[in-house]
Amino acid sequence: MGDAARKAREVGVVGDATLRGFLGYHIKRAMAVLQADLNKVLKPFGLRMVTYSALVTIVDNPGLRQAQLADALAIERPNLVVILDELEGAGLITRDKVPSDRRAYALNPTLKGRRLAEQATAANRADEARLLQGLAPADRNRVIEVMNQIEHGPGGAQS
Amino acid sequence: MGDAARKAREVGVVGDATLRGFLGYHIKRAMAVLQADLNKVLKPFGLRMVTYSALVTIVDNPGLRQAQLADALAIERPNLVVILDELEGAGLITRDKVPSDRRAYALNPTLKGRRLAEQATAANRADEARLLQGLAPADRNRVIEVMNQIEHGPGGAQS
DNA sequence: TCACATAGATATGAAGTATAACTATTATTA
DNA sequence: TAATAATAGTTATACTTCATATCTATGTGA
């Protein structure tokens, strides 16, 4: 480390050259911005990131069971309970007894839930478009491909 | 939603089409994999993600103050204290009194700390290379550009 | 000198996340 | 069929992460 770097630090600049060498570091920093931003957009709807994800997944998959939802969202079952309590308490979903298995509950959105999900999704789309303005669709798709490779392994194998 | 989707759910498949429409959702899922993977790689070194980031930043910027490090890592000052306690207790860094300001501590890596940082960085690089195998350097750079746009806003302005 | 700002530390609380164990049902099998 | 095991959802609990307020010692500026 040279004098320039030492001097820069004295006026408040700290280098992160080594960390910048990792793709994961860039992704982590971007993710922090995305998460803060998303929660700000969702706040007026009374939703957080997890409650939004849960609601949208229930709207997309009406009738699914809690264990299935927990799997899809990578949430532990006990933690999902309070999230669903919140959505049910807000009148956005119902827990309906399923006749064929009296242990289970089928999760269904209410009309209010479907409408709120639609509005929140529109708001999120608008916000993401703002964050990504000027980004070519091809580049966006490329990024998605890379994220999927990271998630599922090279070649896109589903693990 | 059609019969096919309803049938698929019965055998355990839950769709996330709406969420997949968000770049942030893909990034979040990739980040979860990266974080789990990174922590696994760091475990043999006795490090976690935050302690590794802190150690590397101290190695790259010897003599920096705690407040500077907290800023660089976007960690609150009180939370950084325990992280540094951990690194200092492991003999990886020292908190040295700075003569010009007796309130402050200059953070410096020990030889052991520098060596551990070097080894951990090498391990992380190897692991990230494994996760990203087959990814063209141009694509990797494109992803980094997009992450920086998300973090700093369009045009790469530093906010 | 006196008021105020800053560096680091301590205490504390909120939120997210993970595990064990309970109730009620369903499935298995001896 | 009776006994056993497995499953869905829940409760209780603890651990980690993250944020805020406050304290001390020290430094800065009117």
Side-chain angles (χ1 to χ4, degrees):
Chain A
M1 151 151 165
D3 286 351
R6 193 174 302 274
K7 181 61 189 307
R9 189 175 343 107
E10 279 164 16
V11 295
V13 177
V14 175
D16 57 354
T18 300
L19 295 178
R20 288 279 172 200
F22 293 105
L23 182 57
Y25 180 68
H26 293 268
I27 295 176
K28 178 176 164 55
R29 294 189 74 105
M31 190 61 220
V33 171
L34 284 172
Q35 177 147 353
D37 211 70
L38 180 56
N39 278 321
K40 189 155 39 172
V41 170
L42 289 176
K43 192 150 201 175
F45 298 99
L47 296 170
R48 292 168 295 138
M49 235 177 72
V50 274
T51 52
Y52 170 73
S53 303
L55 176 59
V56 162
T57 304
I58 293 168
V59 169
D60 277 359
N61 303 274
L64 88 171
R65 315 291 179 79
Q66 295 190 193
Q68 290 178 304
L69 181 57
D71 266 16
L73 300 180
I75 293 175
E76 296 304 315
R77 262 81 72 168
N79 297 327
L80 182 60
V81 172
V82 301
I83 293 169
L84 295 180
D85 286 350
E86 197 176 321
L87 291 175
E88 192 181 29
L92 302 173
I93 65 161
T94 56
R95 285 193 249 223
D96 305 322
K97 292 207 181 266
V98 10
S100 60
D101 187 343
R102 288 181 303 173
R103 296 168 301 179
Y105 289 105
L107 302 173
N108 286 295
T110 62
L111 177 58
K112 183 180 175 188
R114 277 193 298 272
R115 283 182 177 154
L116 193 75
E118 202 175 319
Q119 291 168 9
T121 295
N124 286 337
R125 274 202 233 284
D127 191 63
E128 192 170 284
R130 181 184 60 77
L131 272 175
L132 298 176
Q133 67 188 273
L135 181 65
D139 285 336
R140 186 192 141 98
N141 290 336
R142 175 67 61 199
V143 171
I144 289 177
E145 282 172 27
V146 174
M147 294 305 133
N148 285 334
Q149 171 174 343
I150 292 171
E151 185 185 349
H152 296 120
Q158 302 295 313
S159 94
Chain B
M1 127 144 207
D3 286 350
R6 195 174 300 275
K7 181 63 192 304
R9 187 172 348 104
E10 278 164 19
V11 296
V13 177
V14 175
D16 58 353
T18 300
L19 295 177
R20 288 280 171 198
F22 293 104
L23 182 58
Y25 181 69
H26 292 269
I27 294 176
K28 179 178 164 53
R29 294 190 73 105
M31 191 62 220
V33 171
L34 283 172
Q35 178 147 354
D37 210 71
L38 180 57
N39 278 323
K40 190 155 41 173
V41 169
L42 288 175
K43 192 150 201 175
F45 298 100
L47 295 170
R48 291 168 296 138
M49 236 177 72
V50 275
T51 53
Y52 169 73
S53 302
L55 176 59
V56 162
T57 304
I58 293 167
V59 169
D60 277 0
N61 303 273
L64 87 170
R65 313 293 179 77
Q66 293 189 196
Q68 291 179 303
L69 182 56
D71 266 17
L73 300 180
I75 294 174
E76 296 304 315
R77 266 69 63 113
N79 298 326
L80 183 60
V81 171
V82 301
I83 293 169
L84 295 179
D85 286 349
E86 197 176 321
L87 291 175
E88 191 181 30
L92 301 173
I93 65 161
T94 55
R95 284 193 250 223
D96 305 322
K97 291 205 181 268
V98 11
S100 59
D101 186 343
R102 288 181 303 174
R103 296 169 303 180
Y105 289 105
L107 302 173
N108 286 294
T110 63
L111 176 58
K112 183 179 174 189
R114 278 194 298 273
R115 283 183 177 152
L116 192 74
E118 202 174 320
Q119 292 168 9
T121 295
N124 287 337
R125 273 202 234 283
D127 190 62
E128 193 171 284
R130 180 183 61 75
L131 272 176
L132 299 175
Q133 66 188 275
L135 180 64
D139 285 338
R140 184 192 145 98
N141 290 336
R142 199 77 200 90
V143 171
I144 289 177
E145 282 172 29
V146 173
M147 294 304 132
N148 285 334
Q149 170 173 345
I150 291 171
E151 184 185 350
H152 296 119
Q158 304 295 308
S159 94

